[in-house]
Amino acid sequence: MRSIKSLTLDELAGQFTALGEPSYRARQVIEWLYLKRIGRFDEMTNLPAGLREKLRAEFDERPLEVVRKTGSGDTTQKFLFRLRDGQMVETVLIPASPSLYGETSDRRTICISSQVGCAYGCRFCASGLDGWKRNLDAGEIVDQLLRVEGESGERVNNIVFMGMGEPLANYENLMRAIGIINAPWGTNIGARHITVSTSGLVPRIRELADQPLQIRLAISLHGATDEVRDRIMPVNKKYPLAELLDACAYFRGRRKQKLTFEFILIQGVNDSLDQAAELARITKKLDAKVNVIPYNTVEGLEWTRPSERAQDSFMDVLRHGGAVATLRREKGHDIAAACGQLRLQTEREKPIADDSKLNY
Ligand code: SAH
Ligand code: SF4
Protein backbone atom coordinates (compact mmCIF):
# COMPACT_ATOMS: atom_id res chain seq x y z
CA MET A 1 0.00 0.00 0.00
CA ARG A 2 1.30 3.41 -0.89
CA SER A 3 2.25 5.88 1.83
CA ILE A 4 0.00 8.94 1.82
CA LYS A 5 3.13 11.07 2.27
CA SER A 6 4.51 9.90 -1.07
CA LEU A 7 1.89 11.84 -3.01
CA THR A 8 1.84 15.38 -4.27
CA LEU A 9 -1.23 17.58 -3.91
CA ASP A 10 -2.08 17.15 -7.60
CA GLU A 11 -1.70 13.39 -7.45
CA LEU A 12 -3.88 13.18 -4.38
CA ALA A 13 -6.53 15.33 -6.06
CA GLY A 14 -6.43 12.94 -9.03
CA GLN A 15 -6.82 9.93 -6.76
CA PHE A 16 -9.76 11.56 -5.02
CA THR A 17 -11.49 12.20 -8.32
CA ALA A 18 -10.94 8.53 -9.19
CA LEU A 19 -12.52 7.57 -5.86
CA GLY A 20 -15.53 9.74 -6.66
CA GLU A 21 -14.61 12.40 -4.10
CA PRO A 22 -14.40 16.15 -4.68
CA SER A 23 -10.81 17.28 -5.20
CA TYR A 24 -10.93 19.98 -2.49
CA ARG A 25 -10.80 17.09 -0.04
CA ALA A 26 -7.21 16.50 -1.19
CA ARG A 27 -6.25 19.95 0.02
CA GLN A 28 -7.89 19.24 3.36
CA VAL A 29 -5.88 16.05 3.78
CA ILE A 30 -2.67 17.83 2.80
CA GLU A 31 -3.40 20.55 5.38
CA TRP A 32 -3.76 17.93 8.08
CA LEU A 33 -0.51 16.28 7.09
CA TYR A 34 1.78 19.27 6.62
CA LEU A 35 0.13 22.21 8.36
CA LYS A 36 -1.54 20.67 11.39
CA ARG A 37 0.84 17.72 11.40
CA ILE A 38 -1.83 15.11 11.95
CA GLY A 39 -1.08 11.85 10.15
CA ARG A 40 -3.95 9.60 11.20
CA PHE A 41 -7.05 9.68 9.03
CA ASP A 42 -9.28 9.19 12.07
CA GLU A 43 -8.08 12.48 13.52
CA MET A 44 -8.87 14.42 10.34
CA THR A 45 -12.15 15.61 11.77
CA ASN A 46 -13.45 17.64 8.84
CA LEU A 47 -13.52 14.54 6.62
CA PRO A 48 -16.70 12.43 6.52
CA ALA A 49 -16.34 9.02 8.20
CA GLY A 50 -16.92 7.22 4.90
CA LEU A 51 -14.04 9.03 3.28
CA ARG A 52 -11.72 8.29 6.19
CA GLU A 53 -12.52 4.63 5.75
CA LYS A 54 -11.79 4.81 2.03
CA LEU A 55 -8.48 6.50 2.76
CA ARG A 56 -7.51 3.82 5.24
CA ALA A 57 -8.21 1.15 2.63
CA GLU A 58 -6.26 3.00 -0.03
CA PHE A 59 -3.21 4.51 1.70
CA ASP A 60 -0.72 3.65 4.40
CA GLU A 61 -0.93 6.26 7.16
CA ARG A 62 1.54 4.71 9.64
CA PRO A 63 4.35 7.00 10.76
CA LEU A 64 7.95 5.87 11.17
CA GLU A 65 8.45 4.29 14.56
CA VAL A 66 11.10 5.72 16.89
CA VAL A 67 13.36 2.90 18.09
CA ARG A 68 16.07 4.98 19.70
CA LYS A 69 16.75 8.60 20.40
CA THR A 70 20.06 9.99 21.61
CA GLY A 71 21.07 13.51 22.62
CA SER A 72 18.72 16.37 23.42
CA GLY A 73 18.30 20.12 23.61
CA ASP A 74 21.17 21.98 21.98
CA THR A 75 23.24 18.91 21.17
CA THR A 76 23.10 16.76 18.09
CA GLN A 77 20.11 14.44 18.34
CA LYS A 78 19.99 11.11 16.58
CA PHE A 79 16.89 9.15 15.77
CA LEU A 80 16.74 5.53 14.79
CA PHE A 81 13.51 4.74 12.95
CA ARG A 82 11.91 1.42 12.19
CA LEU A 83 10.21 1.23 8.81
CA ARG A 84 7.08 -0.74 8.00
CA ASP A 85 9.06 -3.82 6.94
CA GLY A 86 11.19 -3.78 10.09
CA GLN A 87 14.28 -2.25 8.43
CA MET A 88 15.91 0.67 10.21
CA VAL A 89 17.33 4.03 9.17
CA GLU A 90 18.73 6.91 11.12
CA THR A 91 18.20 10.62 10.99
CA VAL A 92 20.26 13.31 12.73
CA LEU A 93 19.17 16.76 13.93
CA ILE A 94 21.96 19.29 14.31
CA PRO A 95 21.12 22.43 16.25
CA ALA A 96 22.20 25.93 15.29
CA SER A 97 25.91 26.22 14.61
CA PRO A 98 27.67 28.90 12.63
CA SER A 99 30.26 26.57 11.15
CA LEU A 100 27.88 24.18 9.48
CA TYR A 101 26.25 24.37 6.08
CA GLY A 102 25.20 27.92 5.52
CA GLU A 103 26.23 31.31 6.69
CA THR A 104 23.77 32.15 9.43
CA SER A 105 23.80 30.73 12.91
CA ASP A 106 20.13 29.89 13.28
CA ARG A 107 20.32 26.86 11.07
CA ARG A 108 18.61 23.79 12.34
CA THR A 109 19.85 21.08 10.07
CA ILE A 110 18.48 17.61 9.56
CA CYS A 111 20.55 14.86 8.02
CA ILE A 112 18.25 12.47 6.16
CA SER A 113 18.74 8.89 4.97
CA SER A 114 17.76 7.91 1.44
CA GLN A 115 18.29 4.13 1.45
CA VAL A 116 18.54 1.23 3.88
CA GLY A 117 22.24 0.40 3.69
CA CYS A 118 24.29 1.38 0.67
CA ALA A 119 25.60 -0.48 -2.36
CA TYR A 120 28.66 1.69 -2.89
CA GLY A 121 30.82 0.20 -0.16
CA CYS A 122 33.16 3.10 0.57
CA ARG A 123 35.85 1.65 2.79
CA PHE A 124 35.43 4.17 5.63
CA CYS A 125 31.66 4.20 5.91
CA ALA A 126 29.37 2.35 8.31
CA SER A 127 26.36 2.66 6.00
CA GLY A 128 27.80 0.40 3.34
CA LEU A 129 29.23 -2.27 5.63
CA ASP A 130 26.28 -4.62 5.36
CA GLY A 131 25.46 -3.78 1.76
CA TRP A 132 22.32 -2.33 0.27
CA LYS A 133 18.90 -3.46 1.45
CA ARG A 134 16.41 -1.23 -0.34
CA ASN A 135 15.46 2.26 -1.44
CA LEU A 136 13.32 4.43 0.80
CA ASP A 137 10.09 5.56 -0.79
CA ALA A 138 9.31 9.28 -0.90
CA GLY A 139 6.96 9.03 2.09
CA GLU A 140 9.68 7.48 4.23
CA ILE A 141 12.04 10.29 3.29
CA VAL A 142 9.48 13.03 4.00
CA ASP A 143 8.39 11.37 7.25
CA GLN A 144 11.93 11.54 8.68
CA LEU A 145 11.54 15.32 8.64
CA LEU A 146 8.00 15.29 10.07
CA ARG A 147 8.89 12.83 12.84
CA VAL A 148 12.07 14.60 13.89
CA GLU A 149 10.23 17.93 14.06
CA GLY A 150 7.43 16.32 16.05
CA GLU A 151 9.78 14.56 18.47
CA SER A 152 12.15 17.47 19.02
CA GLY A 153 9.73 20.37 18.91
CA GLU A 154 12.16 22.12 16.54
CA ARG A 155 11.42 23.55 13.12
CA VAL A 156 14.08 22.45 10.66
CA ASN A 157 15.26 25.01 8.11
CA ASN A 158 18.12 23.18 6.44
CA ILE A 159 18.26 19.68 4.99
CA VAL A 160 21.24 17.59 3.98
CA PHE A 161 20.98 14.18 2.33
CA MET A 162 24.02 12.83 4.09
CA GLY A 163 22.49 10.04 6.07
CA MET A 164 22.51 6.43 5.10
CA GLY A 165 22.52 5.57 1.42
CA GLU A 166 23.40 7.15 -1.89
CA PRO A 167 20.61 9.61 -2.66
CA LEU A 168 21.35 9.81 -6.37
CA ALA A 169 20.96 6.02 -6.64
CA ASN A 170 17.37 6.54 -5.49
CA TYR A 171 16.85 9.50 -7.76
CA GLU A 172 13.14 9.27 -8.49
CA ASN A 173 12.04 8.91 -4.86
CA LEU A 174 14.56 11.53 -3.79
CA MET A 175 13.22 14.11 -6.23
CA ARG A 176 9.63 13.28 -5.38
CA ALA A 177 10.40 13.75 -1.66
CA ILE A 178 12.26 17.00 -2.32
CA GLY A 179 9.26 18.19 -4.33
CA ILE A 180 7.00 17.62 -1.31
CA ILE A 181 9.48 19.12 1.15
CA ASN A 182 9.91 22.17 -1.07
CA ALA A 183 6.24 22.71 -1.98
CA PRO A 184 4.34 25.64 -0.40
CA TRP A 185 1.57 23.17 0.48
CA GLY A 186 4.18 20.76 1.88
CA THR A 187 6.88 21.63 4.38
CA ASN A 188 7.88 24.68 2.32
CA ILE A 189 11.67 24.51 2.75
CA GLY A 190 13.50 26.39 0.00
CA ALA A 191 15.60 24.41 -2.48
CA ARG A 192 18.65 26.49 -1.56
CA HIS A 193 18.37 25.01 1.91
CA ILE A 194 18.45 21.46 0.61
CA THR A 195 21.82 19.80 -0.05
CA VAL A 196 22.21 16.46 -1.79
CA SER A 197 25.47 14.66 -1.13
CA THR A 198 26.79 12.08 -3.57
CA SER A 199 29.76 9.79 -3.85
CA GLY A 200 29.90 10.80 -7.51
CA LEU A 201 27.21 9.27 -9.76
CA VAL A 202 28.14 11.25 -12.85
CA PRO A 203 25.01 10.82 -15.03
CA ARG A 204 22.77 11.70 -12.09
CA ILE A 205 24.81 14.79 -11.25
CA ARG A 206 24.14 16.00 -14.79
CA GLU A 207 20.45 15.16 -14.45
CA LEU A 208 20.29 17.08 -11.19
CA ALA A 209 21.96 20.04 -12.89
CA ASP A 210 19.31 20.01 -15.62
CA GLN A 211 16.27 20.03 -13.36
CA PRO A 212 14.94 23.43 -12.32
CA LEU A 213 15.10 23.35 -8.48
CA GLN A 214 18.14 25.18 -7.10
CA ILE A 215 19.18 22.30 -4.88
CA ARG A 216 22.74 22.41 -3.55
CA LEU A 217 25.22 19.68 -4.29
CA ALA A 218 27.96 18.23 -2.10
CA ILE A 219 30.47 15.77 -3.50
CA SER A 220 32.10 13.17 -1.26
CA LEU A 221 35.55 13.50 -2.75
CA HIS A 222 37.86 12.02 -0.10
CA GLY A 223 40.70 11.66 -2.57
CA ALA A 224 42.25 14.28 -4.84
CA THR A 225 43.77 11.75 -7.25
CA ASP A 226 42.40 8.55 -8.82
CA GLU A 227 45.06 6.55 -7.06
CA VAL A 228 43.89 7.60 -3.60
CA ARG A 229 40.20 7.66 -4.44
CA ASP A 230 40.34 4.16 -5.98
CA ARG A 231 41.64 2.80 -2.72
CA ILE A 232 38.72 3.97 -0.62
CA MET A 233 35.78 4.51 -2.98
CA PRO A 234 34.94 1.68 -5.42
CA VAL A 235 32.63 4.06 -7.32
CA ASN A 236 35.74 5.83 -8.60
CA LYS A 237 36.47 2.86 -10.89
CA LYS A 238 33.17 3.46 -12.64
CA TYR A 239 33.30 7.26 -12.62
CA PRO A 240 36.93 8.37 -12.34
CA LEU A 241 37.91 11.78 -11.11
CA ALA A 242 38.18 13.50 -14.50
CA GLU A 243 34.61 12.50 -15.40
CA LEU A 244 33.35 13.47 -11.96
CA LEU A 245 34.98 16.89 -12.11
CA ASP A 246 33.56 17.45 -15.61
CA ALA A 247 30.10 16.75 -14.25
CA CYS A 248 30.79 19.12 -11.35
CA ALA A 249 31.79 21.87 -13.79
CA TYR A 250 28.58 21.23 -15.72
CA PHE A 251 26.56 21.52 -12.52
CA ARG A 252 28.42 24.65 -11.44
CA GLY A 253 27.67 26.27 -14.79
CA ARG A 254 23.96 26.01 -14.08
CA ARG A 255 23.97 27.31 -10.53
CA LYS A 256 24.69 30.47 -8.60
CA GLN A 257 25.67 28.53 -5.49
CA LYS A 258 29.02 26.96 -4.97
CA LEU A 259 29.57 23.24 -4.83
CA THR A 260 30.91 21.68 -1.65
CA PHE A 261 33.55 18.99 -1.54
CA GLU A 262 33.54 16.72 1.48
CA PHE A 263 36.94 15.39 2.39
CA ILE A 264 37.31 12.96 5.28
CA LEU A 265 40.86 12.92 6.59
CA ILE A 266 42.14 9.39 7.12
CA GLN A 267 45.59 8.88 8.52
CA GLY A 268 48.11 7.62 6.02
CA VAL A 269 45.50 7.31 3.28
CA ASN A 270 44.55 10.76 2.00
CA ASP A 271 46.11 13.19 4.48
CA SER A 272 49.38 13.90 2.66
CA LEU A 273 50.29 17.47 1.83
CA ASP A 274 50.34 16.50 -1.86
CA GLN A 275 46.68 15.58 -1.56
CA ALA A 276 46.01 18.93 0.12
CA ALA A 277 47.72 20.81 -2.70
CA GLU A 278 45.85 18.88 -5.38
CA LEU A 279 42.57 19.33 -3.52
CA ALA A 280 43.21 23.08 -3.41
CA ARG A 281 43.80 23.13 -7.16
CA ILE A 282 40.59 21.20 -7.91
CA THR A 283 38.55 23.33 -5.51
CA LYS A 284 39.79 26.62 -6.91
CA LYS A 285 39.24 25.55 -10.48
CA LEU A 286 35.60 24.73 -9.77
CA ASP A 287 35.07 27.73 -7.49
CA ALA A 288 33.93 25.28 -4.84
CA LYS A 289 34.41 25.08 -1.09
CA VAL A 290 35.77 22.22 0.98
CA ASN A 291 34.59 20.70 4.23
CA VAL A 292 37.37 18.71 5.81
CA ILE A 293 36.12 16.14 8.33
CA PRO A 294 38.52 14.16 10.51
CA TYR A 295 37.61 10.50 10.09
CA ASN A 296 35.20 9.18 12.68
CA THR A 297 36.17 5.74 13.88
CA VAL A 298 33.85 2.97 12.74
CA GLU A 299 33.88 -0.30 14.62
CA GLY A 300 35.27 -3.05 12.47
CA LEU A 301 37.15 -0.70 10.15
CA GLU A 302 40.89 -0.29 10.19
CA TRP A 303 41.28 3.44 9.62
CA THR A 304 42.16 6.18 12.11
CA ARG A 305 42.04 9.97 12.07
CA PRO A 306 45.24 11.99 11.76
CA SER A 307 46.57 13.96 14.73
CA GLU A 308 45.35 17.55 15.16
CA ARG A 309 48.78 18.75 14.05
CA ALA A 310 48.53 16.76 10.85
CA GLN A 311 45.00 18.11 10.31
CA ASP A 312 46.28 21.67 10.76
CA SER A 313 49.12 21.15 8.29
CA PHE A 314 46.66 19.78 5.74
CA MET A 315 44.42 22.83 6.22
CA ASP A 316 47.39 25.21 5.90
CA VAL A 317 48.39 23.78 2.53
CA LEU A 318 44.78 23.78 1.39
CA ARG A 319 44.29 27.44 2.30
CA HIS A 320 47.65 28.53 0.97
CA GLY A 321 46.60 26.90 -2.27
CA GLY A 322 43.67 29.34 -2.32
CA ALA A 323 40.83 27.02 -1.35
CA VAL A 324 37.88 28.13 0.77
CA ALA A 325 37.97 25.45 3.41
CA THR A 326 36.56 24.62 6.84
CA LEU A 327 37.63 21.96 9.27
CA ARG A 328 34.81 20.32 11.20
CA ARG A 329 36.37 19.31 14.39
CA GLU A 330 33.75 19.91 17.07
CA LYS A 331 32.72 16.66 18.60
CA GLY A 332 29.14 15.70 17.97
CA HIS A 333 28.72 18.44 15.43
CA ASP A 334 29.92 16.57 12.39
CA ILE A 335 26.81 16.33 10.31
CA ALA A 336 27.12 12.88 8.91
CA ALA A 337 30.27 11.68 10.54
CA ALA A 338 28.47 9.00 12.41
CA CYS A 339 25.50 8.38 10.19
CA GLY A 340 24.86 4.69 9.73
CA GLN A 341 26.63 3.88 12.93
CA LEU A 342 23.66 3.87 15.28
CA ARG A 343 21.84 1.44 13.04
CA LEU A 344 24.87 -0.79 12.71
CA GLN A 345 25.40 -0.82 16.44
CA THR A 346 21.74 -1.56 17.05
CA GLU A 347 21.57 -4.33 14.45
CA ARG A 348 24.61 -5.99 15.94
CA GLU A 349 23.33 -6.05 19.47
CA LYS A 350 19.85 -7.36 18.63
CA PRO A 351 17.33 -7.84 20.07
CA ILE A 352 16.66 -4.32 21.25
CA ALA A 353 12.90 -4.33 21.15
CA ASP A 354 12.38 -3.86 24.90
CA ASP A 355 11.14 -0.40 25.81
CA SER A 356 13.77 0.23 28.44
CA LYS A 357 16.13 1.06 25.62
CA LEU A 358 13.92 3.76 24.20
CA ASN A 359 15.13 7.32 24.69
CA TYR A 360 18.39 6.40 26.31
N1 SAH B 1 26.19 8.50 -0.13
C1 SAH B 1 26.31 9.91 -0.06
C2 SAH B 1 25.60 10.50 1.11
C3 SAH B 1 25.79 9.79 2.42
S1 SAH B 1 27.41 9.77 3.10
C4 SAH B 1 27.77 10.32 -0.07
O1 SAH B 1 28.62 9.46 0.03
O2 SAH B 1 28.01 11.50 -0.23
C5 SAH B 1 27.50 11.35 3.80
C6 SAH B 1 28.84 11.77 4.32
O3 SAH B 1 29.24 11.03 5.48
C7 SAH B 1 29.91 11.60 3.30
O4 SAH B 1 30.63 12.76 3.04
C8 SAH B 1 30.72 10.53 3.92
O5 SAH B 1 31.97 10.56 3.45
C9 SAH B 1 30.60 10.83 5.40
N2 SAH B 1 31.11 9.73 6.24
C10 SAH B 1 30.85 8.43 6.11
N3 SAH B 1 31.55 7.71 7.01
C11 SAH B 1 32.28 8.60 7.74
C12 SAH B 1 33.21 8.47 8.81
N4 SAH B 1 33.53 7.27 9.31
N5 SAH B 1 33.78 9.57 9.32
C13 SAH B 1 33.46 10.79 8.82
N6 SAH B 1 32.60 10.97 7.80
C14 SAH B 1 32.00 9.88 7.25
FE1 SF4 C 1 27.39 4.84 0.51
FE2 SF4 C 1 28.01 7.43 0.86
FE3 SF4 C 1 28.72 5.58 2.68
FE4 SF4 C 1 29.92 5.63 0.30
S1 SF4 C 1 29.99 7.26 1.86
S2 SF4 C 1 29.16 3.79 1.36
S3 SF4 C 1 28.22 6.22 -1.04
S4 SF4 C 1 26.65 6.18 2.14
Side-chain angles (χ1 to χ4, degrees):
M1 216 192 298
R2 204 158 181 206
S3 159
I4 184 83
K5 293 167 203 141
S6 285
L7 297 181
T8 64
L9 175 59
D10 284 350
E11 287 168 344
L12 198 59
Q15 297 256 348
F16 273 44
T17 311
L19 288 172
E21 296 285 342
S23 62
Y24 73 85
R25 293 286 187 205
R27 188 165 278 280
Q28 288 180 318
V29 170
I30 290 282
E31 276 178 9
W32 282 110
L33 290 175
Y34 301 109
L35 203 61
K36 301 175 193 151
R37 299 295 172 98
I38 297 290
R40 296 287 185 182
F41 298 133
D42 262 348
E43 293 173 38
M44 301 183 180
T45 46
N46 58 359
L47 305 183
L51 173 58
R52 283 187 248 154
E53 209 163 296
K54 271 193 208 168
L55 288 174
R56 261 200 312 278
E58 205 70 31
F59 302 106
D60 198 320
E61 60 180 335
R62 284 173 296 170
L64 301 181
E65 180 196 343
V66 183
V67 181
R68 276 187 172 189
K69 209 161 105 178
T70 63
S72 63
D74 55 4
T75 65
T76 298
Q77 295 179 55
K78 287 185 162 200
F79 300 83
L80 187 68
F81 291 115
R82 186 179 288 118
L83 310 174
R84 291 186 288 273
D85 61 355
Q87 300 278 7
M88 290 189 282
V89 293
E90 59 189 270
T91 312
V92 181
L93 174 67
I94 301 113
S97 164
S99 64
L100 292 171
Y101 287 74
E103 297 67 34
T104 54
S105 60
D106 65 346
R107 291 273 163 116
R108 285 170 306 280
T109 299
I110 189 176
C111 177
I112 292 188
S113 293
S114 55
Q115 300 181 311
V116 182
C118 183
Y120 287 85
C122 301
R123 305 266 186 265
F124 46 80
C125 176
S127 295
L129 270 184
D130 288 342
W132 176 85
K133 299 285 191 305
R134 72 168 173 88
N135 284 335
L136 297 191
D137 68 26
E140 290 166 330
I141 296 175
V142 170
D143 209 21
Q144 290 175 61
L145 171 60
L146 300 178
R147 295 290 281 137
V148 164
E149 288 195 337
E151 287 283 318
S152 67
E154 296 272 357
R155 269 296 150 114
V156 166
N157 55 17
N158 198 41
I159 297 186
V160 296
F161 284 91
M162 293 188 180
M164 191 185 299
E166 169 50 56
L168 294 189
N170 185 16
Y171 191 82
E172 205 178 301
N173 291 330
L174 172 79
M175 294 313 290
R176 169 176 283 276
I178 289 178
I180 295 169
I181 289 168
N182 176 246
W185 52 260
T187 51
N188 199 17
I189 295 178
R192 285 181 184 78
H193 302 287
I194 301 174
T195 301
V196 171
S197 176
T198 180
S199 58
L201 307 198
V202 164
R204 295 302 198 186
I205 292 173
R206 291 179 180 270
E207 212 171 324
L208 196 66
D210 287 339
Q211 62 76 47
L213 283 180
Q214 293 284 314
I215 303 163
R216 289 180 196 256
L217 182 63
I219 306 286
S220 287
L221 206 60
H222 312 320
T225 54
D226 279 325
E227 192 222 334
V228 170
R229 212 165 181 261
D230 277 347
R231 264 184 80 190
I232 51 177
M233 300 182 75
V235 68
N236 196 63
K237 290 264 197 269
K238 187 156 188 202
Y239 303 117
L241 214 46
E243 279 179 40
L244 174 58
L245 297 177
D246 271 358
C248 288
Y250 182 79
F251 189 94
R252 182 68 183 97
R254 276 161 180 65
R255 290 290 188 277
K256 284 194 207 77
Q257 290 87 20
K258 294 183 187 223
L259 282 165
T260 304
F261 290 125
E262 304 280 317
F263 204 95
I264 305 180
L265 273 190
I266 312 173
Q267 187 176 27
V269 174
N270 64 359
D271 62 342
S272 73
L273 301 184
D274 285 352
Q275 284 286 302
E278 186 57 19
L279 178 57
R281 198 187 63 77
I282 291 172
T283 306
K284 252 178 66 181
K285 194 166 166 211
L286 284 169
D287 186 29
K289 45 189 182 174
V290 194
N291 266 325
V292 177
I293 313 144
Y295 171 75
N296 218 41
T297 316
V298 176
E299 226 188 286
L301 295 183
E302 57 194 296
W303 319 109
T304 52
R305 64 164 62 177
S307 68
E308 294 207 352
R309 264 190 69 183
Q311 295 171 23
D312 289 339
S313 308
F314 190 93
M315 295 307 290
D316 282 348
V317 173
L318 198 51
R319 289 185 179 129
H320 275 119
V324 180
T326 50
L327 175 66
R328 288 210 309 249
R329 194 179 266 161
E330 318 93 287
K331 202 169 160 238
H333 266 199
D334 351 2
I335 288 206
C339 239
Q341 298 193 27
L342 191 61
R343 165 176 167 272
L344 198 72
Q345 183 193 349
T346 304
E347 294 246 308
R348 292 192 170 168
E349 62 185 41
K350 271 178 176 173
I352 51 103
D354 73 296
D355 287 351
S356 61
K357 287 219 173 150
L358 281 176
N359 299 343
Y360 80 103

